[in-house]
Amino acid sequence: MKKFANLAAGLVLTAALAVSVTACTPTKNNPAQAAAQSAHDQEREPSTTPDGAAVETVDGAEEKKNMVVTEDPAVTVCVYSMKDDHSGLKQNMDTIDGEELDAQKLIDKMAELGVLEKDIKVNSFENKDGALTLDLSSLEKKDDRLLLLALSNTFIQNYDAKTLTLKVDGKEVGEMEFVKKWKEISADQLK
């Protein structure tokens, strides 16, 4: 009887082992296992670059390197402008086209926002160790101190500079520094 019990126990253990091995084999009936296998297969499947070449990838890194950017590059700028009632300044965040900051495009953006008159050209622009020199073709309101403050703060902040020497058609208008308390300045204080 003892032999029979040992034989029966051995058969039960063998059957249990066979069932456990079968249960661990991935099947299409087990959604969790099928999803894991599919994800593993996708990691190893070749993908293609924008020009159609096949690339073997593991984590999508190759696809990221070959992504085509369809948007034109732009630079975020801060433009200071006058409040509608001309009582002080306000700050505007906007973008200009291009991969890097450009003085002419910044002047054009200021004209677009109504800070400066249109068709002002940059005759020359220099950034030497944080000291900017900007020579404009014209500036009708060069005596408007609020406008000059908007212009100087715009350039000094965007170029991370210390000073701006402004010239109009080669003639110096003045040297300006960034005014940190621009929110507190009114047009009456600048007269």
Side-chain angles (χ1 to χ4, degrees):
M1 185 75 162
K2 201 171 193 180
K3 286 184 182 184
F4 181 72
N6 284 339
L7 182 62
L11 287 175
V12 170
L13 284 175
T14 304
L17 184 60
V19 169
S20 68
V21 169
T22 305
C24 292
T25 305
T27 65
K28 292 187 179 188
N29 294 337
N30 185 337
Q33 288 176 342
Q37 184 64 36
S38 175
H40 178 71
D41 292 345
Q42 283 180 342
E43 287 179 6
R44 298 283 180 203
E45 287 180 13
S47 60
T48 59
T49 62
D51 62 358
V55 176
E56 180 79 20
T57 182
V58 174
D59 62 357
E62 286 300 317
E63 289 93 337
K64 291 175 186 171
K65 285 196 304 190
N66 295 313
M67 287 177 65
V68 177
V69 178
T70 57
E71 292 184 26
D72 293 330
V75 177
T76 302
V77 293
C78 174
V79 177
Y80 291 85
S81 61
M82 281 72 68
K83 292 180 182 177
D84 293 335
D85 62 359
H86 209 74
S87 63
L89 293 181
K90 61 182 178 179
Q91 192 178 43
N92 309 281
M93 298 304 289
D94 211 325
T95 59
I96 56 173
D97 295 335
E99 293 184 12
E100 57 187 52
L101 194 54
D102 178 77
Q104 183 63 59
K105 290 179 180 178
L106 193 53
I107 289 292
D108 293 343
K109 182 57 70 175
M110 292 183 81
E112 178 186 316
L113 295 174
V115 181
L116 301 173
E117 62 267 18
K118 295 190 185 304
D119 301 323
I120 295 178
K121 298 297 176 210
V122 174
N123 292 336
S124 65
F125 177 73
E126 182 181 16
N127 183 355
K128 188 172 182 177
D129 299 324
L132 306 177
T133 303
L134 176 65
D135 186 4
L136 300 176
S137 62
S138 65
L139 187 62
E140 290 177 13
K141 299 178 182 178
K142 61 184 164 206
D143 295 327
D144 184 339
R145 295 186 65 199
L146 197 56
L147 178 127
L148 294 177
L149 178 59
L151 180 64
S152 63
N153 269 16
T154 296
F155 269 81
I156 291 170
Q157 181 170 343
N158 286 293
Y159 282 96
D160 196 24
K162 296 174 187 138
T163 62
L164 171 71
T165 300
L166 179 63
K167 297 179 180 181
V168 176
D169 223 11
K171 296 176 186 150
E172 190 170 320
V173 174
E175 184 175 321
M176 297 158 261
E177 294 181 353
F178 186 81
V179 176
K180 293 179 183 176
K181 296 185 178 187
W182 58 269
K183 289 181 182 181
E184 300 170 13
I185 292 180
S186 68
D188 294 333
Q189 291 173 321
L190 294 173
K191 290 182 181 179

